[in-house]
Amino acid sequence: QVQLVESGGGLVQPGGSLNLSCAASGMIFRIYTMAWYRQAPGKQRELVAFITSGGSTNHVESVKGRFTISRDNAKKMVYLQMNSLKPEDTAVYYCNTQMSTMPWGQGTQVTVSS
């Protein structure tokens, strides 16, 4: 049974940093392009960044230079280092495959506020 468990969220002031983690189980993790998504209140879920099985990355324009996605295939983990956080980054953050083929986890809440 596939399970994705996100953690690492919290309340942070503008300009602060957080490092999100996602633990995957029940899937052949290493073959998938993995991604981070976020859903802000009243908005649709959106892709934030993805990383291929070989480690190539892509980040959406709004987070480029501030967020960095990474993965550890041996540990079946994917990470999102978030720096220079802005209030508009406030959302629930989820991980999944790039094509969203796995059941969604519960997500982790990130709140950026002074």
Side-chain angles (χ1 to χ4, degrees):
Q1 171 177 344
V2 175
Q3 193 172 19
L4 297 167
V5 180
E6 301 90 350
S7 62
L11 172 63
V12 64
Q13 292 187 342
S17 297
L18 286 172
N19 189 23
L20 306 185
S21 299
C22 171
S25 59
M27 58 186 285
I28 307 175
F29 179 82
R30 67 182 184 279
I31 69 173
Y32 289 99
T33 294
M34 295 299 296
W36 281 97
Y37 299 81
R38 66 186 179 186
Q39 187 168 20
K43 295 188 176 181
Q44 287 191 330
R45 190 173 291 165
E46 63 174 357
L47 177 70
V48 175
F50 65 82
I51 182 167
T52 69
S53 58
S56 297
T57 63
N58 189 285
H59 301 76
V60 297
E61 197 62 36
S62 60
V63 307
K64 273 184 181 177
R66 301 188 299 122
F67 292 9
T68 303
I69 189 171
S70 62
R71 68 189 293 163
D72 185 329
N73 287 338
K75 295 181 178 179
K76 295 187 177 181
M77 297 287 294
V78 61
Y79 306 98
L80 187 68
Q81 176 65 44
M82 305 188 298
N83 299 325
S84 302
L85 281 160
K86 304 176 181 180
E88 52 262 44
D89 296 318
T90 295
V92 179
Y93 284 72
Y94 303 86
C95 67
N96 208 313
T97 63
Q98 186 188 15
M99 302 304 291
S100 308
T101 54
M102 302 300 172
W104 293 97
Q106 83 287 350
T108 187
Q109 175 71 49
V110 172
T111 303
V112 185
S113 175
S114 55

